[in-house]
Amino acid sequence: MQVSADEVVLRLHIQPGAKTSGFAGRHGDAMKLRLAAPPVDGKANKALLAYLADFCGLPKSRVELVSGHTSRAKRVRLSGLSVSGLERLKDLD
């Protein structure tokens, strides 16, 4: 996780097609996130952004997929994250 003054960039390892969505520990230097959405037609990417927005209490417009559009290894930028949202992410580490 890279933190700057007004944004956070997360390194994630995504497991699409899981029973339920949720964080599942570490995968190397990334956080592992299971998604219930299938990896078809961008459904998993949309579910990822919606899940992170909800988890961090952000509008969807402040969550951006930076890299890994077709990969399990993804980088996501969160802009305007509150202190409580940042604490929730740090508690995962």
Side-chain angles (χ1 to χ4, degrees):
M1 176 169 40
Q2 297 173 324
V3 180
S4 68
D6 60 344
E7 65 184 34
V8 173
V9 177
L10 300 176
R11 278 186 270 175
L12 301 168
H13 177 81
I14 305 303
Q15 179 186 345
K19 274 188 168 183
T20 60
S21 295
F23 285 98
R26 305 283 298 168
H27 184 85
D29 63 346
M31 285 187 274
K32 185 174 183 176
L33 179 60
R34 294 184 177 129
L35 291 174
V40 178
D41 299 328
K43 290 180 183 179
N45 287 340
K46 288 178 187 172
L48 167 65
L49 299 179
Y51 181 84
L52 289 174
D54 183 57
F55 184 84
C56 295
L58 290 172
K60 290 179 189 175
S61 62
R62 297 206 176 197
V63 182
E64 175 189 5
L65 183 59
V66 177
S67 66
H69 295 273
T70 59
S71 170
R72 287 179 178 233
K74 300 186 185 294
R75 289 180 48 228
V76 177
R77 179 180 297 122
L78 307 171
S79 302
L81 192 61
S82 68
V83 173
S84 63
L86 183 58
E87 289 300 319
R88 286 194 79 190
L89 289 172
K90 285 185 176 181
D91 286 345
L92 296 171
D93 244 354

